[in-house]
Amino acid sequence: DIQMTQSPSSLSASVGDRVTIACLASQSVGNYLNWYQLKPGKAPKLLIYGASSLQSGVPSRFSASGSGTDYTLTISSLQPEDFATYYCQQSYSTPLTFGGGTKVEIK
Amino acid sequence: EVQLVESGGGLVKPGGSLRLSCAASGFTVSNAWMTWVRQVPGKGLEWVGRIKRKTDGGTIDYAAPVKGRFTISRDDSKNTLYLQMNSLKIEDTGVYYCSTDYWGQGTLVTVSS
């Protein structure tokens, strides 16, 4: 199984801050890398697919990059509605696996 | 508008069974790769299994912890995805989501004696 390691596991930031979350795969996932946003009581949301493609309807302050085993998600200017938990997921091979999550909290 | 609505969760004893449903609207389930994911309370996300769209063979894959106990299926006439869960264990407790590019809000399964 491909192991996905996210860092940090949590962070505190202020509105307007630039935030970066890292995701490291135990082997290459060939850009089959997705990012999701989870908020309590709401349906999870796909933000990024294919390592860097923005899902329709997702604000442009979200961006992502990476290749091989190393990927990052960046929020250029954190907004109040962005406080949530973010997960990376590889869809390169089954079993599909998720990172442990990064909780973005208000400073 | 794409919508996924899960149902069928509840409290069940270890060894029991439940069938979860995921009613879809705004797209055709048989034309999509559909996935079940669960979240243990207070923990992260775990992939449960996936069914490919018909044109890709309709292949079904399962995570090791549920293989042989859970079955994914779909009813094209109802545009609905199912997860039949048998021989449930305490560690199967969690919120179960169905998803494609969109996710439902999930349904809570609690396995407890």
Side-chain angles (χ1 to χ4, degrees):
Chain A
D1 297 3
I2 299 176
Q3 307 303 316
M4 306 299 292
T5 304
Q6 269 182 255
S7 61
S9 56
S10 66
L11 64 90
S12 294
S14 302
V15 172
D17 284 353
R18 182 182 182 89
V19 168
T20 299
I21 299 168
C23 180
L24 177 68
S26 60
Q27 64 186 76
S28 175
V29 298
N31 288 2
Y32 286 87
L33 194 286
N34 309 309
W35 290 96
Y36 297 92
Q37 178 192 64
L38 269 72
K39 295 181 181 179
K42 288 200 164 186
K45 187 178 178 181
L46 173 65
L47 300 175
I48 302 284
Y49 63 94
S52 60
S53 297
L54 196 67
Q55 174 69 353
S56 175
V58 174
S60 59
R61 62 181 180 273
F62 289 92
S63 65
S65 63
S67 63
T69 60
D70 290 87
Y71 299 87
T72 58
L73 173 71
T74 298
I75 310 172
S76 60
S77 177
L78 199 64
Q79 298 302 299
E81 60 268 31
D82 301 336
F83 291 96
T85 303
Y86 295 84
Y87 290 88
C88 62
Q89 180 212 37
Q90 65 83 16
S91 54
Y92 178 75
S93 66
T94 57
L96 307 190
T97 44
F98 292 88
T102 297
K103 187 171 185 178
V104 177
E105 298 175 303
I106 301 171
K107 183 183 278 185
Chain B
E1 181 192 5
V2 171
Q3 195 170 16
L4 293 167
V5 179
E6 301 95 337
S7 61
L11 175 63
V12 62
K13 288 181 167 45
S17 297
L18 275 178
R19 188 178 81 157
L20 306 184
S21 300
C22 171
S25 57
F27 73 103
T28 302
V29 165
S30 62
N31 291 340
W33 290 35
M34 300 294 300
T35 297
W36 286 99
V37 173
R38 66 186 181 187
Q39 183 172 28
V40 174
K43 296 201 173 180
L45 298 172
E46 181 183 19
W47 180 77
V48 172
R50 175 188 69 192
I51 181 168
K52 294 182 181 179
R53 61 187 168 200
K54 277 192 172 180
T55 53
D56 290 327
T59 310
I60 305 173
D61 297 294
Y62 297 96
V66 309
K67 196 168 186 178
R69 300 188 297 122
F70 290 13
T71 302
I72 295 173
S73 63
R74 62 181 167 221
D75 184 331
D76 295 347
S77 67
K78 295 182 178 178
N79 208 32
T80 297
L81 180 74
Y82 299 101
L83 180 66
Q84 177 67 44
M85 305 187 294
N86 298 331
S87 304
L88 281 161
K89 304 176 181 181
I90 290 173
E91 54 265 36
D92 293 320
T93 294
V95 176
Y96 283 71
Y97 299 96
C98 67
S99 70
T100 60
D101 292 342
Y102 297 89
W103 292 51
Q105 293 206 326
T107 185
L108 177 62
V109 171
T110 304
V111 185
S112 174
S113 54

